[in-house]
Amino acid sequence: MFATYEEALKWIHGRLRLGIKPGLKRMEWMMDKLGSPEKKMKTVHIGGTNGKGSTVTFLRSILQEAGYTVGTFTSPYIEHFNERISVNGKPVTDQEILDLTNIIVPLADELEGTDLGGPSEFEVITAMSFYYFAQNANVDIVLYEVGLGGRLDSTNIIHPLASIITNIGLDHTNILGDTYEKIAFEKAGIIKEKTPIFTAVKHPGAMRVIKEKAEQMAAPFYRLDHDFFIYDHKSIQKGEVFSLKTNMVELKQLEISMIGQHQTENAALAICAALYLDQANLFHISEQAIRTGLRNGYWPGRFEVLSEKPLVIIDGAHNDEGITTLVHELSTRFSDRRIHIVFAALKDKKYDKMIAKLDQAADKISFVNFDYPRAAKAEDFLKISDSADKLAVDDWKTYLQEEIQTIADDSMLVVTGSLYFISEAKPVLCKNLKNMTISL
């Protein structure tokens, strides 16, 4: 048992040595020991390649505006580990993490001695969240973000009120498969019997797999550009404006503060899920709650403007689809700027295509090393890049501090790549930007 938060966190992170362990047997074993807490809460399950966290945020914000207390389980974190388990956007306390860890540790030790083996870091955190939300009587609903894939993900022991699949991309191909159809099969594993599924998947093969799974499970199936439609979209300085039409309602001139056309799709999924919860008399959600909730929805690290003077943006574009979206937004919004991109990624990513796209967008590109077990080497990126102005950086903290001091009025700094890197880089950038402001 642990006496401090720091000891608990060290133990949790120590589970990373076990790697990724797909499968539900260990989760089912732990839940049985804890009295099946996953069955004692109302949930919505959100899967997909990109956009899960943003969709969770939009739906949480809508439900909050409707007067409900909303739990969320998300990964990875951007600013603080505790945010992975939050209520109304507020992370659990250090003491609560300590208490939860001490509940799970004996189970992890016992499980270690079985044929199933000890739980991974993600399984531990997921188990902690189930126990926490089931014991918190004030939480009306919990939004669960899938960690990896869906079918064998630790979160997939819940039976939600609705499921969402944001999109399908070629990510984690070493685990999920190397085609859109194989990955879609894993994502579609979250579809439950007679439980509505909402999706923004565009790839025809992936869509076919998901639709077939929905039919097998007799699950009502709703998809973008078929059952609900986005129109009249336009980008504004600090967000997007769009209208949405379903077979039941039409909502005009909706506004979100998150940047990017893709965020209108994530918002649309959240709206449709909220409309279903309302129409099924599970929750009462007004149009005003939807409008205000969308406008207030904020998710760190997603094309987030940390400073306008100098212009500094961070974006957790950690796969090919994410990089494509980032490059599109940069070319659309900042074609008049000289762009310096700082990039880091994990070695299990297919980063050759990612770097090729970043090369096209950047006037200067810097690849950095950061301390994480699965982090790729900056020197490997450097060999792939065709940029005329490129370099590899070891001490990224000092480098970023120096770079933000020299950003010209016609230039910008974009820090992107792995969400694990973004979570480390953001506080460093914010601290230095704040010091710059104070010195002025």
Side-chain angles (χ1 to χ4, degrees):
M1 302 297 245
F2 303 111
T4 69
Y5 169 78
E6 288 73 22
E7 290 174 352
L9 208 57
K10 183 178 180 180
W11 178 81
I12 293 170
H13 290 326
R15 312 300 297 181
L16 280 169
R17 63 182 167 76
L18 299 176
I20 298 169
K21 302 177 72 172
L24 304 180
K25 294 297 184 181
R26 286 174 298 278
M27 287 302 302
E28 291 169 346
W29 187 96
M30 287 191 288
M31 292 304 100
D32 181 63
K33 293 285 186 177
L34 291 171
S36 302
E38 79 284 4
K39 297 178 181 179
K40 300 174 183 178
M41 64 185 96
K42 296 177 180 178
T43 60
V44 173
H45 209 181
I46 298 94
T49 301
N50 293 322
K52 299 186 294 292
S54 298
T55 304
V56 167
T57 295
F58 286 129
L59 186 52
R60 171 183 64 78
S61 189
I62 289 170
L63 285 162
Q64 273 186 249
E65 287 298 327
Y68 297 104
T69 300
V70 188
T72 53
F73 178 73
T74 56
S75 62
Y77 66 93
I78 295 296
E79 296 171 335
H80 191 240
F81 174 83
N82 298 20
E83 72 193 44
R84 298 179 75 164
I85 304 173
S86 298
V87 176
N88 283 355
K90 183 179 179 181
V92 295
T93 65
D94 291 357
Q95 183 62 49
E96 286 171 321
I97 289 290
L98 175 59
D99 293 342
L100 290 168
T101 304
N102 282 331
I103 289 169
I104 299 301
V105 165
L107 300 181
D109 290 343
E110 187 178 348
L111 191 52
E112 195 93 47
T114 72
D115 292 338
L116 295 173
S120 68
E121 183 203 41
F122 188 74
E123 288 173 324
V124 163
I125 301 166
T126 307
M128 289 165 60
S129 75
F130 285 141
Y131 187 85
Y132 176 78
F133 290 126
Q135 298 298 316
N136 192 331
N138 295 323
V139 175
D140 298 302
I141 186 170
V142 185
L143 311 181
Y144 266 89
E145 178 187 337
V146 172
L148 176 64
R151 183 174 65 94
L152 299 176
D153 186 74
S154 305
T155 62
N156 202 32
I157 58 174
I158 60 174
H159 292 271
L161 302 174
S163 302
I164 297 172
I165 299 177
T166 56
N167 62 21
I168 300 293
L170 295 177
D171 198 11
H172 299 293
T173 53
N174 59 321
I175 297 174
L176 303 180
D178 56 2
T179 68
Y180 284 93
E181 289 79 5
K182 289 177 181 177
I183 293 175
F185 173 77
E186 297 298 330
K187 306 287 186 185
I190 69 170
I191 299 173
K192 302 298 193 300
E193 187 175 3
K194 297 181 181 179
T195 301
I197 173 71
F198 302 89
T199 185
V201 168
K202 294 184 176 67
H203 187 274
M207 176 60 75
R208 183 177 64 255
V209 171
I210 294 171
K211 185 178 181 182
E212 288 174 356
K213 180 65 174 182
E215 290 172 351
Q216 291 171 13
M217 304 301 289
F221 184 62
Y222 305 96
R223 54 177 165 157
L224 179 66
D225 296 332
H226 189 274
D227 302 291
F228 55 100
F229 305 86
I230 295 169
Y231 67 98
D232 285 349
H233 166 249
K234 65 177 180 180
S235 295
I236 56 177
Q237 184 178 1
K238 295 186 178 181
E240 312 290 333
V241 175
F242 68 100
S243 298
L244 180 72
K245 182 176 177 61
T246 75
N247 60 352
M248 299 284 287
V249 300
E250 186 171 13
L251 300 173
K252 296 183 177 181
Q253 296 296 290
L254 299 163
E255 183 178 334
I256 58 176
S257 59
M258 286 195 265
I259 292 173
Q261 181 179 351
H262 62 294
Q263 294 293 8
T264 67
E265 298 175 3
N266 297 328
L269 288 169
I271 294 167
C272 289
L275 290 171
Y276 164 73
L277 294 175
D278 178 71
Q279 291 160 5
N281 293 317
L282 297 167
F283 293 85
H284 177 67
I285 303 170
S286 67
E287 178 179 332
Q288 189 56 51
I290 291 174
R291 290 185 177 277
T292 306
L294 289 179
R295 195 162 51 245
N296 293 341
Y298 161 75
W299 189 233
R302 275 65 175 179
F303 210 91
E304 182 181 2
V305 180
L306 297 185
S307 167
E308 294 184 352
K309 289 187 179 181
L311 183 53
V312 179
I313 290 174
I314 61 169
D315 186 62
H318 58 282
N319 52 36
D320 188 42
E321 287 75 20
I323 292 294
T324 299
T325 299
L326 169 64
V327 168
H328 171 76
E329 291 303 321
L330 290 174
S331 63
T332 301
R333 291 174 176 268
F334 302 107
S335 59
D336 59 335
R337 299 261 186 169
R338 284 186 54 81
I339 300 172
H340 177 192
I341 293 177
V342 176
F343 177 77
L346 302 184
K347 57 189 174 186
D348 55 5
K349 301 291 181 178
K350 292 187 175 181
Y351 44 74
D352 51 346
K353 291 182 180 178
M354 297 163 66
I355 291 174
K357 291 174 182 177
L358 292 174
D359 281 345
Q360 295 298 313
D363 296 284
K364 176 181 179 181
I365 187 164
S366 303
F367 304 109
V368 303
N369 292 311
F370 75 108
D371 186 19
Y372 189 75
R374 289 158 46 210
K377 298 296 183 182
E379 292 75 14
D380 293 335
F381 299 144
L382 201 66
K383 295 174 184 176
I384 296 171
S385 174
D386 290 327
S387 175
D389 191 352
K390 61 182 179 180
L391 73 157
V393 177
D394 194 37
D395 183 1
W396 63 266
K397 293 181 181 179
T398 300
Y399 182 71
L400 287 181
Q401 181 179 354
E402 294 171 348
E403 286 301 302
I404 62 175
Q405 302 285 340
T406 59
I407 301 172
D409 290 342
D410 65 345
S411 302
M412 64 188 296
L413 179 68
V414 180
V415 180
T416 189
S418 167
L419 287 168
Y420 296 99
F421 172 61
I422 295 299
S423 69
E424 292 187 29
K426 181 177 178 178
V428 172
L429 286 164
C430 288
K431 179 181 179 180
N432 284 289
L433 287 167
K434 182 179 180 181
N435 289 341
M436 286 176 64
T437 303
I438 292 173
S439 66
L440 291 174

Coordinates of all heavy atoms in Angstrom, one line a residue, residues 77-126:
Y77 N -3.4 12.0 -21.0 CA -3.7 13.3 -20.4 C -2.8 14.3 -21.1 O -1.8 14.0 -21.7 CB -3.4 13.3 -18.9 CG -2.0 13.1 -18.5 CD1 -1.1 14.1 -18.3 CD2 -1.5 11.8 -18.3 CE1 0.2 13.9 -18.0 CE2 -0.2 11.5 -17.9 CZ 0.7 12.6 -17.8 OH 2.0 12.4 -17.4
I78 N -3.2 15.6 -21.0 CA -2.4 16.7 -21.6 C -1.7 17.5 -20.6 O -0.5 17.8 -20.7 CB -3.3 17.6 -22.5 CG1 -3.8 16.8 -23.7 CG2 -2.5 18.8 -23.0 CD1 -2.8 16.3 -24.6
E79 N -2.4 17.8 -19.5 CA -1.8 18.8 -18.5 C -1.5 18.1 -17.2 O -0.5 18.4 -16.5 CB -2.7 20.0 -18.3 CG -2.9 20.8 -19.6 CD -4.0 21.9 -19.5 OE1 -4.9 21.7 -18.7 OE2 -3.9 22.9 -20.2
H80 N -2.3 17.1 -16.8 CA -2.2 16.5 -15.5 C -2.7 15.1 -15.5 O -3.8 14.9 -16.0 CB -2.9 17.3 -14.4 CG -2.6 17.0 -13.0 ND1 -3.6 16.5 -12.1 CD2 -1.4 16.9 -12.3 CE1 -3.0 16.3 -10.9 NE2 -1.7 16.5 -11.0
F81 N -2.0 14.1 -14.9 CA -2.4 12.7 -15.0 C -3.9 12.5 -14.5 O -4.7 11.8 -15.1 CB -1.5 11.9 -14.1 CG -1.9 10.4 -14.0 CD1 -1.6 9.5 -15.0 CD2 -2.7 10.0 -12.9 CE1 -2.1 8.2 -14.9 CE2 -3.1 8.7 -12.8 CZ -2.8 7.8 -13.8
N82 N -4.3 13.3 -13.5 CA -5.6 13.1 -12.8 C -6.7 13.4 -13.8 O -7.9 12.9 -13.5 CB -5.7 13.9 -11.6 CG -4.7 13.6 -10.5 OD1 -3.7 13.0 -10.8 ND2 -4.9 14.0 -9.3
E83 N -6.5 14.1 -14.8 CA -7.6 14.5 -15.7 C -8.2 13.3 -16.5 O -9.3 13.4 -17.0 CB -7.2 15.6 -16.7 CG -6.2 15.1 -17.8 CD -5.6 16.2 -18.6 OE1 -5.1 17.2 -18.0 OE2 -5.5 16.1 -19.8
R84 N -7.5 12.2 -16.5 CA -8.1 11.0 -17.1 C -9.4 10.6 -16.5 O -10.2 10.0 -17.1 CB -7.0 9.9 -17.1 CG -5.7 10.3 -17.8 CD -4.7 9.2 -17.8 NE -5.1 8.1 -18.7 CZ -4.2 7.2 -19.1 NH1 -3.0 7.2 -18.7 NH2 -4.6 6.2 -20.0
I85 N -9.5 10.8 -15.2 CA -10.8 10.6 -14.5 C -11.3 11.9 -14.0 O -10.7 12.5 -13.0 CB -10.5 9.6 -13.3 CG1 -9.9 8.3 -13.8 CG2 -11.8 9.3 -12.6 CD1 -9.5 7.3 -12.7
S86 N -12.3 12.4 -14.6 CA -12.8 13.8 -14.2 C -14.3 13.8 -14.0 O -15.0 12.9 -14.5 CB -12.4 14.8 -15.3 OG -11.0 14.9 -15.5
V87 N -14.8 14.8 -13.3 CA -16.2 15.0 -13.1 C -16.5 16.5 -13.5 O -15.9 17.4 -13.0 CB -16.7 14.8 -11.7 CG1 -18.1 15.1 -11.5 CG2 -16.4 13.3 -11.3
N88 N -17.3 16.7 -14.5 CA -17.6 18.0 -15.0 C -16.3 18.7 -15.4 O -16.2 19.9 -15.2 CB -18.4 18.8 -14.0 CG -19.9 18.4 -14.0 OD1 -20.3 17.6 -14.8 ND2 -20.6 19.0 -13.1
G89 N -15.4 18.0 -16.0 CA -14.2 18.6 -16.4 C -13.1 18.8 -15.4 O -12.0 19.2 -15.7
K90 N -13.5 18.5 -14.1 CA -12.5 18.7 -13.0 C -11.9 17.4 -12.6 O -12.6 16.4 -12.3 CB -13.2 19.3 -11.8 CG -12.3 19.6 -10.6 CD -13.1 20.2 -9.5 CE -12.1 20.5 -8.3 NZ -12.9 21.0 -7.1
P91 N -10.5 17.3 -12.7 CA -9.9 16.0 -12.4 C -10.1 15.6 -11.0 O -10.2 16.4 -10.1 CB -8.4 16.3 -12.7 CG -8.4 17.5 -13.6 CD -9.6 18.3 -13.2
V92 N -10.0 14.3 -10.7 CA -10.0 13.8 -9.4 C -8.8 14.3 -8.6 O -7.8 14.7 -9.2 CB -10.1 12.3 -9.3 CG1 -11.3 11.7 -9.9 CG2 -8.9 11.7 -10.0
T93 N -8.9 14.3 -7.3 CA -7.8 14.9 -6.5 C -6.6 13.9 -6.4 O -6.8 12.7 -6.6 CB -8.3 15.2 -5.1 OG1 -8.7 14.0 -4.4 CG2 -9.4 16.2 -5.2
D94 N -5.5 14.4 -5.9 CA -4.4 13.5 -5.7 C -4.7 12.4 -4.6 O -4.3 11.2 -4.7 CB -3.1 14.3 -5.2 CG -2.5 15.1 -6.3 OD1 -3.0 15.1 -7.4 OD2 -1.6 15.9 -6.0
Q95 N -5.5 12.8 -3.6 CA -5.9 11.9 -2.5 C -6.8 10.8 -3.1 O -6.6 9.6 -2.7 CB -6.6 12.6 -1.4 CG -7.0 11.8 -0.2 CD -5.8 11.2 0.5 OE1 -4.8 11.8 0.8 NE2 -5.8 9.8 0.7
E96 N -7.7 11.2 -4.0 CA -8.6 10.2 -4.6 C -7.8 9.2 -5.5 O -8.1 8.0 -5.5 CB -9.6 10.9 -5.4 CG -10.7 11.6 -4.6 CD -11.6 12.4 -5.4 OE1 -11.2 13.1 -6.3 OE2 -12.8 12.5 -5.0
I97 N -6.8 9.7 -6.2 CA -5.9 8.8 -7.0 C -5.2 7.8 -6.0 O -5.1 6.6 -6.3 CB -4.9 9.6 -7.8 CG1 -5.6 10.3 -9.0 CG2 -3.8 8.6 -8.4 CD1 -6.1 9.4 -10.1
L98 N -4.7 8.3 -4.9 CA -4.0 7.5 -3.9 C -4.9 6.4 -3.4 O -4.6 5.2 -3.3 CB -3.4 8.4 -2.8 CG -2.8 7.6 -1.6 CD1 -1.6 6.8 -2.1 CD2 -2.4 8.6 -0.6
D99 N -6.1 6.8 -3.0 CA -7.1 5.9 -2.4 C -7.5 4.8 -3.5 O -7.6 3.6 -3.1 CB -8.4 6.6 -2.0 CG -8.1 7.6 -0.8 OD1 -7.1 7.4 -0.1 OD2 -8.9 8.5 -0.6
L100 N -7.7 5.2 -4.7 CA -8.1 4.3 -5.7 C -7.0 3.3 -6.0 O -7.2 2.1 -6.2 CB -8.5 5.0 -7.0 CG -9.8 5.8 -7.0 CD1 -9.9 6.8 -8.2 CD2 -11.0 4.9 -6.9
T101 N -5.7 3.8 -6.0 CA -4.6 2.9 -6.3 C -4.5 1.9 -5.2 O -4.2 0.7 -5.5 CB -3.3 3.8 -6.4 OG1 -3.4 4.8 -7.4 CG2 -2.1 2.9 -6.7
N102 N -4.7 2.3 -4.0 CA -4.6 1.3 -2.9 C -5.7 0.3 -2.9 O -5.5 -0.8 -2.3 CB -4.6 2.1 -1.5 CG -3.2 2.7 -1.2 OD1 -2.2 2.2 -1.7 ND2 -3.2 3.8 -0.5
I103 N -6.8 0.6 -3.5 CA -7.9 -0.4 -3.7 C -7.5 -1.4 -4.8 O -7.7 -2.6 -4.7 CB -9.2 0.3 -4.1 CG1 -9.7 1.1 -2.9 CG2 -10.2 -0.7 -4.6 CD1 -10.9 2.0 -3.2
I104 N -6.8 -0.9 -5.9 CA -6.5 -1.8 -7.0 C -5.2 -2.6 -6.8 O -5.1 -3.7 -7.3 CB -6.4 -0.9 -8.3 CG1 -7.7 -0.2 -8.6 CG2 -6.0 -1.8 -9.5 CD1 -8.9 -1.1 -8.8
V105 N -4.3 -2.1 -6.0 CA -3.0 -2.8 -5.9 C -3.1 -4.3 -5.4 O -2.5 -5.2 -6.0 CB -2.1 -2.0 -4.9 CG1 -0.9 -2.9 -4.4 CG2 -1.5 -0.8 -5.6
P106 N -3.9 -4.5 -4.4 CA -4.0 -5.9 -3.9 C -4.6 -6.8 -5.1 O -4.2 -8.0 -5.2 CB -5.0 -5.9 -2.8 CG -4.9 -4.5 -2.3 CD -4.7 -3.6 -3.5
L107 N -5.5 -6.3 -5.8 CA -6.1 -7.1 -7.0 C -5.0 -7.3 -8.0 O -4.9 -8.4 -8.6 CB -7.3 -6.3 -7.6 CG -8.4 -6.0 -6.6 CD1 -9.5 -5.3 -7.4 CD2 -9.0 -7.3 -6.1
A108 N -4.2 -6.3 -8.3 CA -3.2 -6.4 -9.3 C -2.2 -7.5 -8.9 O -1.7 -8.3 -9.7 CB -2.5 -5.1 -9.6
D109 N -1.8 -7.5 -7.6 CA -0.9 -8.5 -7.1 C -1.4 -9.9 -7.1 O -0.7 -10.8 -7.5 CB -0.5 -8.1 -5.6 CG 0.3 -6.9 -5.5 OD1 0.9 -6.4 -6.5 OD2 0.4 -6.3 -4.4
E110 N -2.7 -10.0 -6.8 CA -3.3 -11.3 -6.9 C -3.4 -11.8 -8.3 O -3.2 -13.0 -8.6 CB -4.7 -11.3 -6.2 CG -5.4 -12.6 -6.1 CD -6.8 -12.5 -5.4 OE1 -7.1 -11.5 -4.8 OE2 -7.5 -13.5 -5.5
L111 N -3.8 -10.9 -9.2 CA -3.9 -11.2 -10.6 C -2.6 -11.7 -11.2 O -2.5 -12.5 -12.1 CB -4.5 -10.0 -11.4 CG -5.0 -10.2 -12.8 CD1 -6.0 -11.4 -12.9 CD2 -5.6 -8.9 -13.3
E112 N -1.5 -11.0 -10.7 CA -0.2 -11.4 -11.2 C 0.1 -12.9 -11.0 O 0.9 -13.4 -11.8 CB 0.8 -10.5 -10.4 CG 2.2 -10.5 -11.0 CD 2.4 -9.3 -12.0 OE1 2.1 -8.2 -11.6 OE2 2.9 -9.5 -13.1
G113 N -0.5 -13.4 -10.0 CA -0.2 -14.8 -9.7 C -1.1 -15.8 -10.4 O -0.9 -17.0 -10.2
T114 N -1.9 -15.3 -11.3 CA -2.8 -16.2 -12.1 C -2.3 -16.4 -13.5 O -1.3 -15.7 -13.9 CB -4.2 -15.6 -12.2 OG1 -4.2 -14.5 -13.0 CG2 -4.7 -15.2 -10.8
D115 N -2.9 -17.2 -14.3 CA -2.5 -17.5 -15.7 C -2.8 -16.2 -16.5 O -2.2 -16.1 -17.6 CB -3.3 -18.7 -16.2 CG -2.9 -20.0 -15.6 OD1 -1.7 -20.0 -15.0 OD2 -3.6 -20.9 -15.7
L116 N -3.7 -15.3 -16.1 CA -4.0 -14.1 -16.8 C -2.8 -13.1 -16.8 O -2.7 -12.3 -17.7 CB -5.3 -13.5 -16.3 CG -6.5 -14.3 -16.4 CD1 -7.7 -13.6 -15.6 CD2 -6.9 -14.5 -17.9
G117 N -2.0 -13.1 -15.8 CA -1.0 -12.2 -15.7 C -1.4 -10.8 -15.1 O -2.6 -10.6 -15.0
G118 N -0.5 -10.0 -14.7 CA -0.8 -8.7 -14.1 C -1.4 -7.7 -15.1 O -1.2 -7.8 -16.3
P119 N -2.2 -6.8 -14.6 CA -2.9 -5.8 -15.4 C -1.9 -4.7 -15.9 O -0.9 -4.4 -15.2 CB -3.9 -5.2 -14.5 CG -3.4 -5.3 -13.1 CD -2.6 -6.6 -13.2
S120 N -2.1 -4.2 -17.1 CA -1.3 -3.2 -17.7 C -1.7 -1.8 -17.0 O -2.6 -1.7 -16.2 CB -1.6 -3.0 -19.2 OG -2.9 -2.6 -19.4
E121 N -0.9 -0.8 -17.4 CA -1.2 0.5 -16.8 C -2.6 1.0 -17.2 O -3.3 1.4 -16.3 CB -0.2 1.6 -17.4 CG -0.4 2.9 -16.8 CD 0.2 4.1 -17.6 OE1 0.0 4.0 -18.9 OE2 0.7 5.0 -17.1
F122 N -3.0 0.8 -18.4 CA -4.3 1.2 -18.9 C -5.4 0.5 -18.2 O -6.4 1.0 -17.8 CB -4.4 1.1 -20.4 CG -5.7 1.7 -20.9 CD1 -5.8 3.1 -21.0 CD2 -6.8 1.0 -21.3 CE1 -7.0 3.7 -21.5 CE2 -7.9 1.5 -21.8 CZ -8.1 2.9 -21.9
E123 N -5.2 -0.8 -18.0 CA -6.2 -1.7 -17.3 C -6.4 -1.2 -15.8 O -7.5 -1.1 -15.3 CB -5.8 -3.1 -17.3 CG -6.0 -3.7 -18.7 CD -5.4 -5.1 -18.8 OE1 -4.4 -5.4 -18.2 OE2 -6.0 -6.0 -19.5
V124 N -5.3 -0.8 -15.2 CA -5.3 -0.4 -13.8 C -6.1 0.9 -13.7 O -7.0 1.1 -12.9 CB -3.9 -0.1 -13.3 CG1 -3.9 0.8 -12.0 CG2 -3.2 -1.5 -13.0
I125 N -5.8 1.9 -14.6 CA -6.5 3.2 -14.6 C -8.0 3.0 -14.9 O -8.9 3.6 -14.3 CB -5.8 4.1 -15.6 CG1 -4.4 4.4 -15.2 CG2 -6.6 5.5 -15.6 CD1 -3.6 5.0 -16.3
T126 N -8.3 2.1 -15.9 CA -9.7 1.9 -16.2 C -10.4 1.3 -15.1 O -11.6 1.7 -14.8 CB -9.8 0.9 -17.4 OG1 -9.0 1.4 -18.5 CG2 -11.2 0.8 -17.9

